[in-house]
Amino acid sequence: MKTYGSCLCGSITFEAVGALRPVIACHCRQCRKTSGHHVAATSVARDELTVNGSPVWFASSETARRGFCGTCGSNLFWDGSGKNISIFAGSIDGPTGVSLKGHIFCADKGDYYDLGDDLPCADQDDPELTTMVR
């Protein structure tokens, strides 16, 4: 399976050749501040991701960094510890083949929206949600 994606202006493209993890919505303060809302992300094993172009990396914490396009500002990646790298679902071109399977950091979510689904909702991180793969 191959998945392709890009930033808004096309300066950065990527190809993932492995199975994508289902999409997880993160409602933590950092995700809300960097995206303007919550982040919906999938992930793939880092050795199954090829990035063309030069993302700008921002160290958003002591344990993670975020990759974005320095030209158009598109948020593309979240990179923490572990074998996978997160890909922002909205940056995928065409059908993704994955669906939203849960929410993390629900205790931090904004007060201006409700979670209107019956998906699992963890108050903080949930390793079972964030590491599951199809």
Side-chain angles (χ1 to χ4, degrees):
M1 175 180 163
K2 289 189 179 182
T3 303
Y4 299 94
S6 63
C7 64
L8 181 62
C9 72
S11 294
I12 298 173
T13 62
F14 60 86
E15 176 183 334
V17 295
L20 298 175
R21 181 201 67 202
V23 174
I24 303 299
C26 182
H27 302 270
C28 78
R29 183 178 185 274
Q30 282 186 8
C31 283
R32 290 190 304 113
K33 292 288 186 178
T34 61
S35 72
H37 193 40
H38 63 78
V39 163
T42 181
S43 72
V44 69
R46 51 181 85 252
D47 64 350
E48 295 176 341
L49 178 68
T50 301
V51 178
N52 301 300
S54 300
V56 175
W57 292 95
F58 170 72
S60 55
S61 71
E62 292 180 12
T63 59
R65 63 186 187 153
R66 295 169 186 273
F68 61 95
C69 176
T71 303
C72 68
S74 294
N75 289 312
L76 300 168
F77 309 109
W78 183 90
D79 188 19
S81 62
K83 69 174 190 146
N84 282 13
I85 185 167
S86 292
I87 301 169
F88 287 15
S91 67
I92 295 173
D93 298 329
T96 64
V98 293
S99 60
L100 185 65
K101 293 294 182 187
H103 304 269
I104 58 173
F105 291 96
C106 295
D108 297 341
K109 82 168 201 55
D111 64 355
Y112 59 91
Y113 65 97
D114 292 317
L115 302 179
D117 56 42
D118 293 326
L119 297 174
C121 184
D123 281 345
Q124 299 299 314
D125 188 20
D126 184 335
E128 288 187 34
L129 283 174
T130 58
T131 59
M132 68 179 162
V133 176
R134 290 190 303 170

